[in-house]
Amino acid sequence: MADRLLEEVGALLREAASDVVVPMFRRLDDADISEKAPGEVVTVADRRAEELISARLRRLRPGSVVVGEEAVAGDPDLLRHLRGDGDVWLVDPVDGTSNFAAGRRPFALMVALLTGGEPAASWVYDPLDGIMAVCRAGVGTWLDGTPARTSGPAPAVDALRGTATTRFLPPAVRRTVAAGGGRIGELLPGQHCAGREYLDMLTGAQQFVLFWRTLPWDHAPGTLLVREAGGVARRFDGTDYHPADGDHGLLVASSPEIWDEVRAALLDG
């Protein structure tokens, strides 16, 4: 993989992790953690890492706009840029903040680049396991420098392994998913870190993941990684996911065939 942008942003995430995020892991005190919304925490590591990453991304692409998770918490109007022209960076400085704040793993650092309103490149980095996934739209996905593919012969439904994050599902949908879970070989509860879920799809540890909330910084990076590796990322009705559409419900699968199988098992009732 010889791609200067992929390498530069990957190096930036490693630097932010080693200089800001990892040194604070399991070293936070109460003053370092606050609640930005009911049930949603933010740490000093999130804010410092986002500041570092954002400043450097703007220098990499002069004139670009950064839409960071913590910046949007203070100015939701930043989301208007997701359909804009030019280059827009989506930044999740610590994905899995609740894990990080509690001294648990996993957590990840994530970035996606939108160009002209469409996903163009993305990066997901798990600093504790040292796993980096990167991709370019139309070119492919690399996992630690090796091309990654998720597609292949679809296993039977009762041999599939994947995650359904049910915390935010509407009650009726949650009941349907729970009832259908017995058709799946292994239905996991989720790791509270979308970035790690996407990495596990690339490694083959699981073949699908289902979400309700789809904040753009949580899913723009991972969905592009999976798509470029041969998978699909669609809303529950089968329409393709876009980070600016603002809808709820997302099913990501290693192949179109697996998406159809999981959709039928978990959502058709």
Side-chain angles (χ1 to χ4, degrees):
M1 179 190 69
D3 185 309
R4 184 173 178 182
L5 181 67
L6 293 183
E7 292 171 353
E8 288 180 333
V9 177
L12 170 57
L13 293 187
R14 288 189 176 95
E15 178 184 338
S18 64
D19 291 359
V20 178
V21 178
V22 174
M24 295 185 187
F25 184 49
R26 294 175 177 162
R27 294 179 175 87
L28 298 170
D29 57 34
D30 291 344
D32 295 325
I33 305 169
S34 58
E35 190 175 65
K36 61 182 178 182
E40 298 287 333
V41 298
V42 62
T43 75
V44 65
D46 294 81
R47 294 193 170 106
R48 290 179 183 173
E50 184 167 303
E51 289 171 2
L52 169 63
I53 294 167
S54 298
R56 294 277 289 278
L57 290 176
R58 291 188 188 98
R59 289 204 293 271
L60 277 177
R61 288 281 177 98
S64 63
V65 174
V66 177
V67 178
E69 177 178 6
E70 307 316 327
V72 170
D75 182 10
D77 191 50
L78 286 170
L79 291 171
R80 75 186 188 280
H81 294 292
L82 298 187
R83 289 287 191 184
D85 296 330
D87 292 328
V88 177
W89 303 98
L90 276 163
V91 176
D92 192 339
V94 182
D95 177 55
T97 296
S98 61
N99 290 343
F100 182 83
R104 299 189 304 263
R105 54 196 305 164
F107 56 89
L109 289 76
M110 306 199 295
V111 169
L113 172 65
L114 308 184
T115 299
E118 295 301 323
S122 70
W123 299 256
V124 174
Y125 179 49
D126 179 335
L128 297 186
D129 284 346
I131 298 175
M132 174 79 74
V134 303
C135 74
R136 279 273 202 179
V139 179
T141 294
W142 291 266
L143 186 64
D144 292 331
T146 300
R149 297 295 298 173
T150 64
S151 56
V157 173
D158 60 5
L160 291 175
R161 185 176 193 267
T163 293
T165 58
T166 60
R167 177 184 173 192
F168 296 105
L169 287 175
V173 179
R174 186 184 304 122
R175 288 192 295 271
T176 302
V177 169
R183 304 185 186 109
I184 301 291
E186 188 174 4
L187 189 62
L188 308 170
Q191 303 178 71
H192 306 286
C193 176
R196 186 67 224 194
E197 303 286 1
Y198 288 117
L199 290 176
D200 283 356
M201 290 191 64
L202 297 178
T203 65
Q206 59 186 19
Q207 292 82 46
F208 69 89
V209 59
L210 181 150
F211 301 96
W212 181 251
R213 287 205 320 177
T214 56
L215 297 169
W217 42 82
D218 285 335
H219 299 288
T223 53
L224 186 59
L225 288 171
V226 171
R227 282 171 168 165
E228 287 299 314
V232 293
R234 298 171 180 164
R235 296 296 183 181
F236 291 172
D237 65 1
T239 57
D240 285 337
Y241 164 80
H242 189 282
D245 63 24
D247 291 335
H248 291 86
L250 175 64
L251 176 59
V252 186
S254 298
S255 70
E257 295 77 14
I258 291 174
W259 193 94
D260 289 339
E261 291 181 343
V262 176
R263 171 70 174 77
L266 296 184
L267 297 172
D268 282 351

Short mmCIF file of all heavy atoms in Angstrom, two decimals, residues 190-252:
data_model
loop_
_atom_site.label_atom_id
_atom_site.label_comp_id
_atom_site.label_asym_id
_atom_site.label_seq_id
_atom_site.Cartn_x
_atom_site.Cartn_y
_atom_site.Cartn_z
N GLY A 190 -22.63 -6.75 21.82
CA GLY A 190 -21.94 -5.52 21.44
C GLY A 190 -20.85 -5.14 22.41
O GLY A 190 -20.87 -5.50 23.59
N GLN A 191 -19.88 -4.38 21.90
CA GLN A 191 -18.69 -4.02 22.68
C GLN A 191 -18.66 -2.56 23.10
O GLN A 191 -17.67 -2.09 23.65
CB GLN A 191 -17.43 -4.34 21.85
CG GLN A 191 -17.35 -5.79 21.41
CD GLN A 191 -16.14 -6.06 20.55
OE1 GLN A 191 -14.99 -6.06 21.03
NE2 GLN A 191 -16.35 -6.31 19.27
N HIS A 192 -19.74 -1.82 22.81
CA HIS A 192 -19.80 -0.39 23.13
C HIS A 192 -18.69 0.38 22.42
O HIS A 192 -18.20 1.39 22.94
CB HIS A 192 -19.75 -0.15 24.64
CG HIS A 192 -20.79 -0.90 25.40
ND1 HIS A 192 -22.12 -0.56 25.40
CD2 HIS A 192 -20.70 -2.03 26.17
CE1 HIS A 192 -22.80 -1.41 26.14
NE2 HIS A 192 -21.98 -2.32 26.60
N CYS A 193 -18.30 -0.10 21.26
CA CYS A 193 -17.25 0.55 20.46
C CYS A 193 -17.48 0.14 19.01
O CYS A 193 -17.10 -0.96 18.60
CB CYS A 193 -15.87 0.13 20.94
SG CYS A 193 -14.50 0.78 19.95
N ALA A 194 -18.10 1.02 18.23
CA ALA A 194 -18.40 0.70 16.84
C ALA A 194 -17.13 0.40 16.05
O ALA A 194 -17.11 -0.52 15.22
CB ALA A 194 -19.16 1.84 16.18
N GLY A 195 -16.07 1.15 16.32
CA GLY A 195 -14.83 0.92 15.60
C GLY A 195 -14.32 -0.49 15.73
O GLY A 195 -13.86 -1.11 14.77
N ARG A 196 -14.41 -1.05 16.93
CA ARG A 196 -13.95 -2.41 17.14
C ARG A 196 -14.86 -3.42 16.45
O ARG A 196 -14.38 -4.44 15.93
CB ARG A 196 -13.87 -2.72 18.64
CG ARG A 196 -13.26 -4.07 18.94
CD ARG A 196 -11.78 -4.12 18.56
NE ARG A 196 -11.43 -5.34 17.88
CZ ARG A 196 -10.18 -5.75 17.68
NH1 ARG A 196 -9.16 -5.03 18.12
NH2 ARG A 196 -9.93 -6.86 17.02
N GLU A 197 -16.17 -3.13 16.41
CA GLU A 197 -17.09 -4.01 15.70
C GLU A 197 -16.70 -4.10 14.22
O GLU A 197 -16.69 -5.19 13.62
CB GLU A 197 -18.53 -3.52 15.82
CG GLU A 197 -19.05 -3.37 17.24
CD GLU A 197 -19.36 -4.69 17.93
OE1 GLU A 197 -19.16 -5.76 17.34
OE2 GLU A 197 -19.81 -4.62 19.11
N TYR A 198 -16.38 -2.96 13.63
CA TYR A 198 -15.98 -2.95 12.21
C TYR A 198 -14.65 -3.66 12.00
O TYR A 198 -14.48 -4.40 11.02
CB TYR A 198 -15.93 -1.52 11.69
CG TYR A 198 -17.30 -0.90 11.52
CD1 TYR A 198 -17.69 0.21 12.26
CD2 TYR A 198 -18.21 -1.44 10.63
CE1 TYR A 198 -18.94 0.78 12.10
CE2 TYR A 198 -19.48 -0.89 10.47
CZ TYR A 198 -19.83 0.22 11.20
OH TYR A 198 -21.09 0.77 11.05
N LEU A 199 -13.70 -3.47 12.89
CA LEU A 199 -12.43 -4.19 12.77
C LEU A 199 -12.66 -5.70 12.86
O LEU A 199 -12.03 -6.47 12.12
CB LEU A 199 -11.46 -3.74 13.86
CG LEU A 199 -10.89 -2.33 13.74
CD1 LEU A 199 -10.01 -2.01 14.95
CD2 LEU A 199 -10.09 -2.16 12.45
N ASP A 200 -13.56 -6.12 13.73
CA ASP A 200 -13.84 -7.55 13.87
C ASP A 200 -14.49 -8.12 12.62
O ASP A 200 -14.34 -9.31 12.32
CB ASP A 200 -14.70 -7.81 15.10
CG ASP A 200 -13.91 -7.75 16.40
OD1 ASP A 200 -12.67 -7.59 16.32
OD2 ASP A 200 -14.52 -7.87 17.48
N MET A 201 -15.20 -7.30 11.88
CA MET A 201 -15.73 -7.77 10.60
C MET A 201 -14.60 -7.97 9.60
O MET A 201 -14.59 -8.94 8.82
CB MET A 201 -16.77 -6.79 10.05
CG MET A 201 -18.06 -6.78 10.84
SD MET A 201 -19.37 -5.87 10.00
CE MET A 201 -19.59 -6.89 8.54
N LEU A 202 -13.62 -7.09 9.61
CA LEU A 202 -12.50 -7.21 8.68
C LEU A 202 -11.61 -8.41 9.01
O LEU A 202 -11.03 -9.02 8.10
CB LEU A 202 -11.68 -5.93 8.67
CG LEU A 202 -12.39 -4.66 8.19
CD1 LEU A 202 -11.47 -3.47 8.29
CD2 LEU A 202 -12.89 -4.82 6.75
N THR A 203 -11.49 -8.73 10.29
CA THR A 203 -10.65 -9.88 10.67
C THR A 203 -11.38 -11.20 10.50
O THR A 203 -10.76 -12.26 10.59
CB THR A 203 -10.18 -9.76 12.13
OG1 THR A 203 -11.31 -9.84 12.99
CG2 THR A 203 -9.42 -8.47 12.37
N GLY A 204 -12.70 -11.14 10.29
CA GLY A 204 -13.49 -12.36 10.17
C GLY A 204 -14.03 -12.87 11.49
O GLY A 204 -14.63 -13.95 11.54
N ALA A 205 -13.81 -12.12 12.58
CA ALA A 205 -14.33 -12.54 13.89
C ALA A 205 -15.85 -12.52 13.94
O ALA A 205 -16.46 -13.21 14.75
CB ALA A 205 -13.76 -11.66 14.99
N GLN A 206 -16.48 -11.71 13.09
CA GLN A 206 -17.94 -11.70 12.99
C GLN A 206 -18.31 -11.31 11.57
O GLN A 206 -17.50 -10.73 10.83
CB GLN A 206 -18.57 -10.77 14.01
CG GLN A 206 -18.14 -9.31 13.92
CD GLN A 206 -18.71 -8.50 15.07
OE1 GLN A 206 -19.12 -9.02 16.10
NE2 GLN A 206 -18.75 -7.19 14.90
N GLN A 207 -19.55 -11.64 11.20
CA GLN A 207 -19.99 -11.41 9.82
C GLN A 207 -21.02 -10.30 9.68
O GLN A 207 -21.37 -9.93 8.56
CB GLN A 207 -20.60 -12.70 9.24
CG GLN A 207 -19.60 -13.82 9.00
CD GLN A 207 -19.32 -14.60 10.26
OE1 GLN A 207 -20.23 -14.98 11.00
NE2 GLN A 207 -18.05 -14.84 10.53
N PHE A 208 -21.50 -9.75 10.78
CA PHE A 208 -22.48 -8.68 10.68
C PHE A 208 -22.51 -7.90 11.99
O PHE A 208 -22.06 -8.36 13.03
CB PHE A 208 -23.88 -9.21 10.34
CG PHE A 208 -24.52 -9.99 11.47
CD1 PHE A 208 -25.29 -9.35 12.44
CD2 PHE A 208 -24.35 -11.36 11.56
CE1 PHE A 208 -25.87 -10.07 13.48
CE2 PHE A 208 -24.93 -12.09 12.59
CZ PHE A 208 -25.69 -11.44 13.55
N VAL A 209 -23.09 -6.69 11.89
CA VAL A 209 -23.35 -5.88 13.08
C VAL A 209 -24.58 -5.02 12.81
O VAL A 209 -24.75 -4.49 11.70
CB VAL A 209 -22.13 -5.03 13.47
CG1 VAL A 209 -21.70 -4.09 12.37
CG2 VAL A 209 -22.38 -4.27 14.77
N LEU A 210 -25.43 -4.91 13.81
CA LEU A 210 -26.69 -4.16 13.70
C LEU A 210 -26.68 -3.04 14.73
O LEU A 210 -26.36 -3.27 15.90
CB LEU A 210 -27.87 -5.11 13.92
CG LEU A 210 -29.29 -4.55 13.83
CD1 LEU A 210 -30.25 -5.64 13.34
CD2 LEU A 210 -29.77 -4.05 15.20
N PHE A 211 -27.04 -1.83 14.29
CA PHE A 211 -27.11 -0.65 15.16
C PHE A 211 -28.45 0.04 14.97
O PHE A 211 -29.09 -0.11 13.92
CB PHE A 211 -26.01 0.37 14.81
CG PHE A 211 -24.60 -0.13 14.90
CD1 PHE A 211 -23.95 -0.59 13.76
CD2 PHE A 211 -23.91 -0.11 16.10
CE1 PHE A 211 -22.63 -1.03 13.82
CE2 PHE A 211 -22.59 -0.54 16.17
CZ PHE A 211 -21.95 -1.00 15.03
N TRP A 212 -28.84 0.84 15.95
CA TRP A 212 -29.97 1.76 15.78
C TRP A 212 -29.47 3.18 15.58
O TRP A 212 -29.71 3.81 14.56
CB TRP A 212 -30.93 1.68 16.97
CG TRP A 212 -32.12 2.60 16.82
CD1 TRP A 212 -32.39 3.75 17.52
CD2 TRP A 212 -33.19 2.46 15.88
NE1 TRP A 212 -33.55 4.33 17.08
CE2 TRP A 212 -34.07 3.54 16.08
CE3 TRP A 212 -33.49 1.51 14.90
CZ2 TRP A 212 -35.23 3.71 15.32
CZ3 TRP A 212 -34.64 1.68 14.15
CH2 TRP A 212 -35.49 2.78 14.36
N ARG A 213 -28.72 3.70 16.56
CA ARG A 213 -28.17 5.05 16.41
C ARG A 213 -27.03 5.02 15.40
O ARG A 213 -26.18 4.14 15.44
CB ARG A 213 -27.66 5.58 17.74
CG ARG A 213 -28.72 5.96 18.71
CD ARG A 213 -28.25 7.00 19.71
NE ARG A 213 -26.90 6.78 20.18
CZ ARG A 213 -26.27 7.60 21.02
NH1 ARG A 213 -26.86 8.69 21.48
NH2 ARG A 213 -25.05 7.34 21.44
N THR A 214 -27.01 6.01 14.51
CA THR A 214 -25.96 6.02 13.47
C THR A 214 -25.36 7.42 13.35
O THR A 214 -25.42 8.05 12.30
CB THR A 214 -26.53 5.55 12.13
OG1 THR A 214 -27.65 6.37 11.76
CG2 THR A 214 -26.98 4.09 12.20
N LEU A 215 -24.77 7.90 14.43
CA LEU A 215 -24.07 9.18 14.38
C LEU A 215 -22.93 9.07 13.36
O LEU A 215 -22.23 8.06 13.30
CB LEU A 215 -23.53 9.53 15.76
CG LEU A 215 -24.61 9.72 16.83
CD1 LEU A 215 -24.01 9.80 18.22
CD2 LEU A 215 -25.44 10.96 16.53
N PRO A 216 -22.74 10.09 12.54
CA PRO A 216 -21.84 9.94 11.38
C PRO A 216 -20.40 9.60 11.72
O PRO A 216 -19.76 8.84 11.00
CB PRO A 216 -21.95 11.28 10.65
CG PRO A 216 -22.52 12.24 11.66
CD PRO A 216 -23.39 11.42 12.55
N TRP A 217 -19.86 10.16 12.80
CA TRP A 217 -18.47 9.85 13.16
C TRP A 217 -18.32 8.42 13.65
O TRP A 217 -17.23 7.86 13.59
CB TRP A 217 -17.96 10.84 14.21
CG TRP A 217 -18.97 11.12 15.28
CD1 TRP A 217 -19.25 10.37 16.39
CD2 TRP A 217 -19.88 12.21 15.31
NE1 TRP A 217 -20.27 10.92 17.11
CE2 TRP A 217 -20.68 12.06 16.49
CE3 TRP A 217 -20.09 13.32 14.48
CZ2 TRP A 217 -21.66 12.99 16.82
CZ3 TRP A 217 -21.08 14.21 14.82
CH2 TRP A 217 -21.85 14.06 15.99
N ASP A 218 -19.42 7.82 14.14
CA ASP A 218 -19.37 6.43 14.58
C ASP A 218 -19.34 5.44 13.41
O ASP A 218 -18.82 4.33 13.55
CB ASP A 218 -20.59 6.09 15.45
CG ASP A 218 -20.50 6.67 16.85
OD1 ASP A 218 -19.38 6.92 17.32
OD2 ASP A 218 -21.56 6.88 17.47
N HIS A 219 -19.95 5.82 12.27
CA HIS A 219 -20.20 4.83 11.23
C HIS A 219 -19.67 5.15 9.85
O HIS A 219 -19.49 4.23 9.03
CB HIS A 219 -21.70 4.54 11.16
CG HIS A 219 -22.23 4.00 12.44
ND1 HIS A 219 -21.96 2.72 12.88
CD2 HIS A 219 -22.97 4.57 13.43
CE1 HIS A 219 -22.53 2.52 14.05
NE2 HIS A 219 -23.15 3.63 14.41
N ALA A 220 -19.39 6.41 9.55
CA ALA A 220 -18.81 6.71 8.24
C ALA A 220 -17.47 5.99 8.03
O ALA A 220 -17.24 5.42 6.96
CB ALA A 220 -18.64 8.22 8.06
N PRO A 221 -16.57 5.96 9.04
CA PRO A 221 -15.30 5.27 8.80
C PRO A 221 -15.47 3.77 8.58
O PRO A 221 -14.96 3.20 7.60
CB PRO A 221 -14.49 5.56 10.08
CG PRO A 221 -15.10 6.79 10.65
CD PRO A 221 -16.57 6.68 10.34
N GLY A 222 -16.20 3.11 9.47
CA GLY A 222 -16.30 1.65 9.41
C GLY A 222 -17.10 1.14 8.23
O GLY A 222 -16.77 0.11 7.63
N THR A 223 -18.20 1.84 7.88
CA THR A 223 -19.01 1.36 6.76
C THR A 223 -18.22 1.42 5.46
O THR A 223 -18.33 0.51 4.62
CB THR A 223 -20.31 2.16 6.62
OG1 THR A 223 -20.02 3.57 6.58
CG2 THR A 223 -21.25 1.87 7.78
N LEU A 224 -17.40 2.44 5.27
CA LEU A 224 -16.59 2.50 4.05
C LEU A 224 -15.55 1.38 4.04
O LEU A 224 -15.31 0.76 3.00
CB LEU A 224 -15.92 3.87 3.91
CG LEU A 224 -15.17 4.09 2.59
CD1 LEU A 224 -16.10 3.94 1.39
CD2 LEU A 224 -14.48 5.45 2.58
N LEU A 225 -14.93 1.12 5.18
CA LEU A 225 -13.97 0.01 5.27
C LEU A 225 -14.61 -1.31 4.83
O LEU A 225 -14.03 -2.07 4.05
CB LEU A 225 -13.46 -0.13 6.70
CG LEU A 225 -12.49 0.92 7.23
CD1 LEU A 225 -12.29 0.72 8.73
CD2 LEU A 225 -11.15 0.85 6.51
N VAL A 226 -15.81 -1.58 5.36
CA VAL A 226 -16.47 -2.85 5.05
C VAL A 226 -16.90 -2.90 3.59
O VAL A 226 -16.73 -3.92 2.90
CB VAL A 226 -17.66 -3.08 6.00
CG1 VAL A 226 -18.48 -4.28 5.54
CG2 VAL A 226 -17.16 -3.30 7.42
N ARG A 227 -17.45 -1.81 3.08
CA ARG A 227 -17.87 -1.79 1.67
C ARG A 227 -16.69 -2.04 0.74
O ARG A 227 -16.79 -2.81 -0.22
CB ARG A 227 -18.52 -0.45 1.34
CG ARG A 227 -19.94 -0.31 1.83
CD ARG A 227 -20.41 1.12 1.66
NE ARG A 227 -21.85 1.26 1.85
CZ ARG A 227 -22.46 2.43 2.04
NH1 ARG A 227 -21.74 3.55 2.06
NH2 ARG A 227 -23.76 2.48 2.21
N GLU A 228 -15.58 -1.37 1.01
CA GLU A 228 -14.42 -1.53 0.13
C GLU A 228 -13.79 -2.91 0.26
O GLU A 228 -13.00 -3.31 -0.61
CB GLU A 228 -13.39 -0.44 0.43
CG GLU A 228 -13.81 0.93 -0.07
CD GLU A 228 -14.00 0.96 -1.58
OE1 GLU A 228 -13.12 0.43 -2.30
OE2 GLU A 228 -15.02 1.50 -2.05
N ALA A 229 -14.13 -3.64 1.31
CA ALA A 229 -13.65 -5.01 1.48
C ALA A 229 -14.62 -6.04 0.90
O ALA A 229 -14.35 -7.24 0.97
CB ALA A 229 -13.40 -5.31 2.96
N GLY A 230 -15.75 -5.58 0.36
CA GLY A 230 -16.69 -6.50 -0.26
C GLY A 230 -18.02 -6.62 0.44
O GLY A 230 -18.90 -7.36 -0.03
N GLY A 231 -18.20 -5.92 1.56
CA GLY A 231 -19.44 -6.01 2.31
C GLY A 231 -20.43 -4.94 1.93
O GLY A 231 -20.24 -4.19 0.96
N VAL A 232 -21.53 -4.86 2.70
CA VAL A 232 -22.58 -3.88 2.44
C VAL A 232 -22.98 -3.21 3.75
O VAL A 232 -22.87 -3.80 4.83
CB VAL A 232 -23.82 -4.51 1.79
CG1 VAL A 232 -23.50 -5.00 0.39
CG2 VAL A 232 -24.38 -5.63 2.64
N ALA A 233 -23.46 -1.97 3.63
CA ALA A 233 -23.96 -1.21 4.78
C ALA A 233 -25.27 -0.56 4.36
O ALA A 233 -25.28 0.35 3.53
CB ALA A 233 -22.94 -0.15 5.21
N ARG A 234 -26.38 -1.06 4.92
CA ARG A 234 -27.69 -0.63 4.48
C ARG A 234 -28.60 -0.33 5.66
O ARG A 234 -28.45 -0.93 6.73
CB ARG A 234 -28.34 -1.70 3.61
CG ARG A 234 -27.59 -2.01 2.33
CD ARG A 234 -28.16 -3.23 1.64
NE ARG A 234 -27.45 -3.54 0.40
CZ ARG A 234 -27.53 -4.71 -0.22
NH1 ARG A 234 -28.29 -5.68 0.27
NH2 ARG A 234 -26.86 -4.91 -1.34
N ARG A 235 -29.55 0.57 5.43
CA ARG A 235 -30.62 0.79 6.38
C ARG A 235 -31.50 -0.46 6.42
O ARG A 235 -31.41 -1.34 5.56
CB ARG A 235 -31.45 2.01 5.97
CG ARG A 235 -30.67 3.32 6.00
CD ARG A 235 -30.22 3.68 7.39
NE ARG A 235 -29.53 4.98 7.43
CZ ARG A 235 -29.02 5.50 8.53
NH1 ARG A 235 -29.11 4.83 9.68
NH2 ARG A 235 -28.42 6.67 8.51
N PHE A 236 -32.36 -0.54 7.42
CA PHE A 236 -33.19 -1.73 7.57
C PHE A 236 -34.08 -1.97 6.35
O PHE A 236 -34.48 -3.10 6.08
CB PHE A 236 -34.05 -1.63 8.82
CG PHE A 236 -33.29 -1.70 10.12
CD1 PHE A 236 -33.93 -1.45 11.33
CD2 PHE A 236 -31.94 -2.03 10.16
CE1 PHE A 236 -33.25 -1.52 12.53
CE2 PHE A 236 -31.24 -2.08 11.35
CZ PHE A 236 -31.90 -1.83 12.55
N ASP A 237 -34.41 -0.90 5.61
CA ASP A 237 -35.28 -1.05 4.44
C ASP A 237 -34.50 -1.42 3.18
O ASP A 237 -35.08 -1.53 2.10
CB ASP A 237 -36.11 0.21 4.20
CG ASP A 237 -35.25 1.43 3.84
OD1 ASP A 237 -34.01 1.29 3.76
OD2 ASP A 237 -35.83 2.52 3.66
N GLY A 238 -33.18 -1.59 3.30
CA GLY A 238 -32.36 -2.00 2.17
C GLY A 238 -31.69 -0.87 1.43
O GLY A 238 -30.89 -1.13 0.52
N THR A 239 -31.97 0.39 1.77
CA THR A 239 -31.31 1.50 1.12
C THR A 239 -29.89 1.66 1.66
O THR A 239 -29.62 1.39 2.83
CB THR A 239 -32.08 2.81 1.32
OG1 THR A 239 -32.24 3.04 2.73
CG2 THR A 239 -33.45 2.73 0.68
N ASP A 240 -28.99 2.11 0.81
CA ASP A 240 -27.59 2.25 1.21
C ASP A 240 -27.44 3.35 2.27
O ASP A 240 -28.08 4.40 2.20
CB ASP A 240 -26.71 2.59 0.00
CG ASP A 240 -26.47 1.40 -0.90
OD1 ASP A 240 -26.58 0.26 -0.41
OD2 ASP A 240 -26.16 1.61 -2.09
N TYR A 241 -26.57 3.08 3.22
CA TYR A 241 -26.26 4.05 4.29
C TYR A 241 -25.47 5.21 3.72
O TYR A 241 -24.54 5.03 2.92
CB TYR A 241 -25.46 3.36 5.38
CG TYR A 241 -24.78 4.31 6.34
CD1 TYR A 241 -25.49 4.92 7.38
CD2 TYR A 241 -23.43 4.64 6.19
CE1 TYR A 241 -24.87 5.81 8.25
CE2 TYR A 241 -22.80 5.52 7.06
CZ TYR A 241 -23.53 6.11 8.08
OH TYR A 241 -22.90 6.98 8.94
N HIS A 242 -25.80 6.42 4.16
CA HIS A 242 -24.99 7.61 3.90
C HIS A 242 -24.87 8.37 5.21
O HIS A 242 -25.86 8.54 5.93
CB HIS A 242 -25.62 8.51 2.83
CG HIS A 242 -24.71 9.62 2.40
ND1 HIS A 242 -24.52 10.77 3.15
CD2 HIS A 242 -23.90 9.75 1.32
CE1 HIS A 242 -23.65 11.56 2.54
NE2 HIS A 242 -23.27 10.97 1.43
N PRO A 243 -23.67 8.84 5.57
CA PRO A 243 -23.48 9.47 6.89
C PRO A 243 -24.28 10.74 7.11
O PRO A 243 -24.47 11.14 8.26
CB PRO A 243 -21.97 9.76 6.94
CG PRO A 243 -21.49 9.66 5.53
CD PRO A 243 -22.41 8.71 4.83
N ALA A 244 -24.80 11.35 6.05
CA ALA A 244 -25.55 12.60 6.23
C ALA A 244 -27.05 12.41 6.23
O ALA A 244 -27.79 13.38 6.38
CB ALA A 244 -25.17 13.59 5.12
N ASP A 245 -27.54 11.16 6.09
CA ASP A 245 -28.99 11.02 5.91
C ASP A 245 -29.78 11.16 7.20
O ASP A 245 -30.99 11.37 7.17
CB ASP A 245 -29.34 9.72 5.18
CG ASP A 245 -28.95 8.45 5.93
OD1 ASP A 245 -28.82 8.49 7.17
OD2 ASP A 245 -28.79 7.41 5.26
N GLY A 246 -29.13 11.03 8.36
CA GLY A 246 -29.82 11.29 9.63
C GLY A 246 -30.83 10.27 10.06
O GLY A 246 -31.56 10.49 11.02
N ASP A 247 -30.91 9.13 9.37
CA ASP A 247 -31.89 8.12 9.72
C ASP A 247 -31.38 7.23 10.85
O ASP A 247 -30.25 7.36 11.31
CB ASP A 247 -32.23 7.25 8.50
CG ASP A 247 -33.01 8.02 7.45
OD1 ASP A 247 -33.68 9.00 7.82
OD2 ASP A 247 -32.94 7.64 6.26
N HIS A 248 -32.24 6.30 11.26
CA HIS A 248 -31.88 5.32 12.28
C HIS A 248 -31.94 3.92 11.69
O HIS A 248 -32.66 3.66 10.73
CB HIS A 248 -32.84 5.41 13.48
CG HIS A 248 -32.69 6.66 14.27
ND1 HIS A 248 -33.35 7.83 13.94
CD2 HIS A 248 -31.98 6.95 15.37
CE1 HIS A 248 -33.03 8.77 14.81
NE2 HIS A 248 -32.21 8.26 15.70
N GLY A 249 -31.21 3.01 12.31
CA GLY A 249 -31.21 1.63 11.89
C GLY A 249 -30.17 1.36 10.82
O GLY A 249 -30.19 1.98 9.76
N LEU A 250 -29.24 0.45 11.11
CA LEU A 250 -28.15 0.14 10.19
C LEU A 250 -27.76 -1.32 10.38
O LEU A 250 -27.51 -1.76 11.50
CB LEU A 250 -26.94 1.04 10.47
CG LEU A 250 -25.67 0.76 9.67
CD1 LEU A 250 -25.89 0.99 8.18
CD2 LEU A 250 -24.53 1.66 10.18
N LEU A 251 -27.72 -2.05 9.28
CA LEU A 251 -27.25 -3.43 9.28
C LEU A 251 -26.08 -3.51 8.30
O LEU A 251 -26.23 -3.20 7.12
CB LEU A 251 -28.36 -4.39 8.87
CG LEU A 251 -27.97 -5.87 8.74
CD1 LEU A 251 -27.42 -6.42 10.04
CD2 LEU A 251 -29.18 -6.69 8.28
N VAL A 252 -24.93 -3.90 8.82
CA VAL A 252 -23.71 -4.03 8.02
C VAL A 252 -23.33 -5.50 7.99
O VAL A 252 -23.34 -6.18 9.02
CB VAL A 252 -22.56 -3.19 8.64
CG1 VAL A 252 -21.33 -3.21 7.73
CG2 VAL A 252 -23.02 -1.76 8.89
#
